[in-house]
Amino acid sequence: MPLHRLTRITMGVPNVEQTAGYYREFGLSPSHTDEGTNSTTHTLATVDGGDQLRIVRTPRRRLVELGVGADDPDDLARVAARLDRLGIPVERTADTVSARDRGTEAMVRVEISPRLAQTPTPAPPLNAPGATPRLHERAPGILREQPVRPRKLGHVVLGSTDQESSQRFFQEGIGFKVSDTVPGLAAFMRCSTDHHNVLVQQAPVAFLHHTSWQVDDVDEVGRGATAMLDADPDRHTWGLGRHHIGSNFFWYLKDPAGNFSEYYSDLDCIVDDALWKPGVWEGAKALWAWGPPPPPSFLDPEDLAGLMTGAHSTSRD
């Protein structure tokens, strides 16, 4: 597909330094462009994706900008034409097309960028009934000592005050494709071969629900979360588990601004659209296949009332 990945996000929070410190602990690396610990802006990088998280100061937590990679100027022209047909104002440069989704309040910037090349993770030998390829040695996953480092930004989940309009913006305007849907709530949409890169759900206020970061395997999901919880047990939100939609292993934590962050591995991959049949899911399967049930605070974040008040105050300023 002409769109091929999420390039970067800009996250707005009231507490920039504290939140940046959290994501450094989470495994993201300070960028060489980072302006330092006393700055009001921080840029952090993944192993394969490079600079993928920019944190800036805003009155309330939200997604400020979402970057989407495209191959060439013809792709940008098609995005601009689709947005124009929807009556959405567009900002255009030689290398970018930008437009704001009113429901999520996020600026989406489609930009010409190289495709992501990832070195494959060696498959660990797994012992199973009747097959024991690993003999006389411990599993590699329990011998790892190096800190967990996310390989790339996988997806974002956004609250929208108009889910239908936001889905139309991403699907008909930007060019995302729908992988699966939860009726009346959300659509899992992709701009790459990943099962989903953006999910927009109906909410009383525009906000960033969570960001999701790819690691090598389920052992890295567990190791990463365990290290974060050793430092602060109150960061725990939900996990370890496995989603039904997307199939990925997950563990969710909460950053100091109130956003959830997810370690994930083993997400479904869609290379040929004709070979994937989108499903419609309800009930438990819309959330998870196994693991502990989601806490109420994951489905309905505790600070939503405060975010609504902050959004109202900002709109009146």
Side-chain angles (χ1 to χ4, degrees), residues 9-13 23 53 60-66 104 155-160 199 201 205-212 255 257-260 301 303-304 307:
I9 59 170
T10 298
M11 175 191 295
V13 299
Y23 284 98
L53 175 61
R60 58 185 173 90
R61 65 179 181 91
R62 66 187 186 90
L63 184 69
V64 177
E65 184 174 293
L66 174 70
T104 63
H155 63 264
V156 297
V157 173
L158 305 172
S160 170
L199 185 150
Q201 59 188 25
V205 63
F207 75 102
L208 174 60
H209 185 275
H210 75 261
T211 59
S212 187
D255 74 22
N259 307 296
F260 302 123
D303 64 348
L304 269 187
L307 293 176

Side-chain angles (χ1 to χ4, degrees), residues 97-174:
V97 169
S98 303
R100 187 176 302 280
D101 171 45
R102 287 178 294 179
T104 63
E105 299 180 4
M107 177 67 76
V108 177
R109 190 178 308 278
V110 183
E111 55 192 348
I112 297 174
S113 63
R115 292 188 172 239
L116 190 65
Q118 294 188 284
T119 302
T121 301
L126 300 177
N127 287 344
T132 52
R134 190 185 75 251
L135 296 173
H136 316 304
E137 58 182 355
R138 303 184 196 281
I142 68 165
L143 299 177
R144 298 172 189 164
E145 297 181 350
Q146 70 278 15
V148 172
R149 302 295 185 197
R151 299 285 298 268
K152 70 173 184 178
L153 170 66
H155 63 264
V156 297
V157 173
L158 305 172
S160 170
T161 54
D162 189 340
Q163 192 277 334
E164 184 178 341
S165 173
S166 292
Q167 181 175 336
R168 188 164 57 249
F169 172 89
F170 280 99
Q171 184 179 357
E172 299 178 22
I174 303 299

Side-chain angles (χ1 to χ4, degrees), residues 71-309:
D71 285 325
D72 54 50
D74 288 343
D75 298 328
L76 299 184
R78 284 189 284 269
V79 172
R82 288 195 298 263
L83 289 167
D84 184 65
R85 285 195 293 271
L86 293 177
I88 297 172
V90 169
E91 298 175 13
R92 181 74 191 268
T93 71
D95 299 321
T96 67
V97 169
S98 303
R100 187 176 302 280
D101 171 45
R102 287 178 294 179
T104 63
E105 299 180 4
M107 177 67 76
V108 177
R109 190 178 308 278
V110 183
E111 55 192 348
I112 297 174
S113 63
R115 292 188 172 239
L116 190 65
Q118 294 188 284
T119 302
T121 301
L126 300 177
N127 287 344
T132 52
R134 190 185 75 251
L135 296 173
H136 316 304
E137 58 182 355
R138 303 184 196 281
I142 68 165
L143 299 177
R144 298 172 189 164
E145 297 181 350
Q146 70 278 15
V148 172
R149 302 295 185 197
R151 299 285 298 268
K152 70 173 184 178
L153 170 66
H155 63 264
V156 297
V157 173
L158 305 172
S160 170
T161 54
D162 189 340
Q163 192 277 334
E164 184 178 341
S165 173
S166 292
Q167 181 175 336
R168 188 164 57 249
F169 172 89
F170 280 99
Q171 184 179 357
E172 299 178 22
I174 303 299
F176 280 62
K177 298 180 180 181
V178 173
S179 300
D180 285 300
T181 58
V182 180
L185 179 64
F188 291 76
M189 296 178 285
R190 66 186 187 276
C191 64
S192 70
T193 58
D194 288 346
H195 175 274
H196 58 281
N197 302 107
V198 167
L199 185 150
V200 179
Q201 59 188 25
Q202 185 66 35
V205 63
F207 75 102
L208 174 60
H209 185 275
H210 75 261
T211 59
S212 187
W213 305 86
Q214 182 194 56
V215 294
D216 286 335
D217 55 29
V218 67
D219 280 299
E220 296 298 89
V221 172
R223 291 181 63 244
T226 297
M228 292 292 285
L229 297 179
D230 283 345
D232 184 354
D234 289 338
R235 292 167 168 171
H236 175 71
T237 299
W238 184 26
L240 172 71
R242 188 159 195 165
H243 285 303
H244 189 93
I245 302 177
S247 302
N248 52 297
F249 295 105
F250 66 83
W251 200 320
Y252 294 91
L253 307 162
K254 186 166 70 172
D255 74 22
N259 307 296
F260 302 123
S261 60
E262 176 189 14
Y263 290 114
Y264 82 90
S265 69
D266 195 20
L267 184 74
D268 290 336
C269 180
I270 304 170
V271 176
D272 188 335
D273 295 337
L275 299 180
W276 179 264
K277 182 179 179 180
V280 178
W281 307 98
E282 297 182 276
K285 286 187 176 180
L287 290 168
W288 84 114
W290 57 257
S297 63
F298 181 81
L299 304 176
D300 188 13
E302 296 169 348
D303 64 348
L304 269 187
L307 293 176
M308 293 171 65
T309 301

Side-chain angles (χ1 to χ4, degrees), residues 17-39:
E17 303 298 334
Q18 191 179 11
T19 302
Y22 170 94
Y23 284 98
R24 286 193 292 269
E25 287 187 59
F26 191 79
L28 304 185
S29 302
S31 166
H32 68 278
T33 64
D34 198 357
E35 298 175 21
T37 56
N38 294 319
S39 170

